[in-house]
Amino acid sequence: MAVGRSAALKIDWVRITASLSLKGNTAAALQAFKKRNEDARRKVQLLSDQPQDIDFAQYRSLLKNQAVIDEIEKNFKAFKPVTYDVGRQIKAIEAFEAQAVRNAEVTKGRVDEEVKDLEETLRNIDEARPFEDLTVDEVVAARPDIEERTKQLVSKGRWAVPGYKEKFGDLSML
């Protein structure tokens, strides 16, 4: 039991959360588990600090009914604490740990993929030519929807882009 206690005391919860980059449900479940662990450890500490031996001689000197004290002492000495099979709890903890690891791996995979996409986007931005140097054909090749929208506006006889004057002002006065 002392080995279990020393191992439980050495768990660095902050490092676990940070090193696995846990977020969302996984981090919340780990925090709930940490709280239950700390509550149980605190309760065990309080119970182990309480005195565990009973001075039956003092009770005999205080009480007149010696038979009651004899009966209590006999029952106290015959008492054997119940041992519990903690295998089920350990299996639940291991299942929780396995699920947390799977969630962390899935999250890590998504984050790595997103970082890769963002790095590629940054590389594209760095390597891109300035907007002023682009030709109309290059813009249309990159964004075919611009050509479709332009064709639609021209076919309706609209030569001005909606919102242009509001954004850039009217240059016809010049």
Side-chain angles (χ1 to χ4, degrees):
M1 187 70 171
V3 173
R5 283 187 191 160
S6 65
L9 292 173
K10 292 179 183 177
I11 296 174
D12 187 356
W13 297 100
V14 175
R15 199 182 99 218
I16 289 172
T17 305
S19 67
L20 296 176
S21 302
L22 300 179
K23 303 281 187 247
N25 291 341
T26 307
L30 184 64
Q31 289 300 322
F33 178 77
K34 173 187 170 197
K35 184 182 182 308
R36 288 192 312 267
N37 176 282
E38 289 173 351
D39 291 344
R41 193 170 344 129
R42 197 173 9 262
K43 189 178 277 189
V44 166
Q45 183 63 35
L46 283 173
L47 292 174
S48 66
D49 289 345
Q50 293 178 355
Q52 297 174 358
D53 52 336
I54 298 173
D55 185 9
F56 289 105
Q58 180 185 4
Y59 287 108
R60 282 192 181 88
S61 68
L62 294 175
L63 300 173
K64 294 179 183 177
N65 191 348
Q66 301 293 312
V68 170
I69 296 172
D70 292 339
E71 181 72 22
I72 293 173
E73 185 176 15
K74 181 180 86 170
N75 288 334
F76 179 76
K77 289 181 179 177
F79 175 75
K80 299 289 182 224
V82 177
T83 58
Y84 291 99
D85 180 21
V86 294
R88 198 176 92 218
Q89 288 85 357
I90 290 174
K91 286 179 184 176
I93 291 168
E94 288 172 349
F96 170 80
E97 182 181 74
Q99 182 64 35
V101 168
R102 281 194 299 274
N103 288 345
E105 288 171 354
V106 168
T107 302
K108 181 183 182 300
R110 279 191 247 143
V111 168
D112 288 344
E113 193 165 315
E114 187 173 337
V115 166
K116 180 181 163 188
D117 290 344
L118 290 173
E119 286 173 348
E120 184 178 334
T121 301
L122 279 174
R123 190 177 66 249
N124 287 342
I125 290 171
D126 289 340
E127 294 173 358
R129 290 188 311 184
F131 185 73
E132 302 84 36
D133 295 344
L134 294 177
T135 65
V136 172
D137 293 332
E138 291 171 330
V139 172
V140 169
R143 294 280 310 270
D145 60 314
I146 293 175
E147 183 177 25
E148 294 299 318
R149 179 75 173 134
T150 305
K151 285 180 182 176
Q152 181 185 19
L153 288 173
V154 170
S155 69
K156 292 180 180 178
R158 295 187 184 153
W159 298 96
V161 177
Y164 184 86
K165 285 186 181 180
E166 290 81 12
K167 190 170 183 180
F168 298 106
D170 190 2
L171 299 176
S172 63
M173 292 183 192
L174 297 176

